Amino acid sequence: MKILLIGSGGRENALAWKLAKSSKVEELFIAPGNPGTAEFAKNIDFKSDDQKSLLEFALKEKIDITVVGPEAPLAAGIVDLFKENGIKIFGPEKLAAQLEGSKVFAKNLMEKYDIPTAEYQSFSDPQKAAAYIREKGAPIVVKAEGLAAGKGVIVAQKVEEAVNAVEKIMIDEKFGEAGEQIVVEEYLEGEEATILSFCDGETIIPMIPSQDHKPAYDGGKGPNTGGMGAYAPAPVVTPELMEYFKENIMQKTLDALKSEDIDFKGIIYFGLMIKNGEAKVLEYNVRFGDPEAQVVLPLLKTDLVEIIEAVLEENLSEKNIEWLDKKALCVVMASGGYPIKYEVSKKITGVEDLKQNDELIVFQAGTKLINEELYTAGGRVLAVTALADEFKEVIEKAYTGVEKIHFEDYHIRSDIGHKALTKA
Ligand code: AMP
Ligand code: GLY
């Protein structure tokens, strides 16, 4: 089988690693990929938003299945285009991708079908939004309606901060069209977790729960990033909470989509806030999380290609999905100054010498090769994933891996997994 994977981040490196393990895969291509994916796949030089070139390539190479990593091509309708041309592709169509691409759509769906989430109002008039914020008081959360590369959410501790966020989004148009509308929502307290799921439109199956670390600095301080590290399974998701989630959130979401005549095939990412044994939805995404994929995929025992085929053939209900009975944890090494201002083109050493195996893996993200040598090329540069039997051990193992890798002014959080230790 020939597979084409689309994307270039750490998540896609984890996907390439997992797809390459499938006995069904004869050839794996990734567009555009990164130096890390080149170990498992043939990198091809098309950007993930170049739908026309990707389609031509898939047709010419007779690709059997295309797998889409990031959200932007999904929201732009790449799945619709490939399907119109008779090519199998894994991911939701444009209409279904609104679950992530439009916060107003997602919030309205949750309200209509009584899916637990923060109270909210949506606005297209900045004055009305500001008046609502003043009426509700802080803390309060302001979200740009559309895709904003993970930067469109402002958790404001003060009313003025929230009003400024409205101005930046709606008047200064910081996120362009994505900010023509905003959602203002109630601030939720609790602990966050991610539950990814496979969905074929009729059946939805949760993966093991994971936990991201979004703020830039230790102790959850500083600005939000794309994610500084993750671990799985997340003990905050107790067996009871998982049952609550399946009944009140996961199945209800699928039923809601079906009631709206939306056929969802792909990944639904549930970003949850957990408190007192109950969960509320913070956000939906329509793809694997990054860096959640870097810990969830290494624990997946079942062949990912078989699961993808089951989704496309709508027989996921017959599929038994198995997980390793281990803990996985990853630490992201980022460029100093990320997520605000950082430099790139720093030489990276130590990756080659690290003895990688299925329980110690370096997933690359913002890297590039210059004269066969590895350099930084982005905010999140790479992630070191470790697997072990216990959280204490897995933390040590991942950080020992990190110590062997170096580039100038790198930034890590030193407390990845600490919340798991307090519960395990
Ligand atoms: P989102 O992209 O919607 O997940 O938001 C990014 C991050 O902002 C989340 O992971 C939370 O840490 C935080 N956040 C979003 N919505 C809320 C909320 N209603 N209350 C508290 N924190 C939130
Ligand atoms: N790690 C958060 C996300 O992928 O959206």
Side-chain angles (χ1 to χ4, degrees), residues 21 25 34 65 82 87 155 184-185 195 205 207 218 229 257 343 346:
K21 289 191 175 301
V25 175
N34 65 42
I65 300 175
F82 273 51
I87 306 182
V155 180
V184 179
E185 71 176 35
I195 305 183
I205 301 180
M207 301 186 214
D218 284 6
L257 289 166
E343 290 175 6
K346 310 283 186 196

Side-chain angles (χ1 to χ4, degrees), residues 360-371:
L360 185 66
I361 320 160
V362 178
F363 291 124
Q364 297 185 27
T367 59
K368 63 184 171 194
L369 285 178
I370 302 176
N371 296 331

Side-chain angles (χ1 to χ4, degrees), residues 9-16 69-71 287-290 293-294 297 364:
R11 164 184 52 215
E12 286 76 26
N13 195 344
L15 279 164
E71 63 276 16
R287 39 133 184 114
F288 279 98
D290 187 338
Q294 290 91 309
L297 290 169
Q364 297 185 27

Side-chain angles (χ1 to χ4, degrees), residues 225-290:
T225 67
M228 293 300 299
Y231 61 82
V236 65
V237 182
T238 58
E240 296 75 35
L241 195 100
M242 189 53 123
E243 287 313 308
Y244 173 91
F245 163 77
K246 284 187 194 166
E247 187 180 330
N248 296 288
I249 295 177
M250 188 182 79
Q251 190 60 42
K252 267 173 127 174
T253 299
L254 175 57
D255 293 344
L257 289 166
K258 284 171 70 177
S259 301
E260 297 291 315
D261 273 332
I262 294 177
D263 180 32
F264 196 106
K265 287 191 170 56
I267 305 291
I268 304 184
Y269 167 126
F270 297 86
L272 305 174
M273 187 67 93
I274 297 167
K275 199 183 167 193
N276 299 335
E278 293 191 354
K280 288 185 178 173
V281 178
L282 285 178
E283 64 165 342
Y284 292 116
N285 293 321
V286 296
R287 39 133 184 114
F288 279 98
D290 187 338

Side-chain angles (χ1 to χ4, degrees), residues 103 107 118 141 143 150 152-155 185-189 192 212 214-215 224 269 271 273 281-285:
K103 298 256 194 258
K107 294 296 288 192
V141 183
K143 299 185 173 186
V153 174
I154 294 93
V155 180
E185 71 176 35
E186 169 201 7
Y187 172 80
L188 295 177
E189 283 180 352
E192 285 182 53
D212 188 5
K214 287 207 174 182
N224 262 348
Y269 167 126
M273 187 67 93
V281 178
L282 285 178
E283 64 165 342
Y284 292 116
N285 293 321

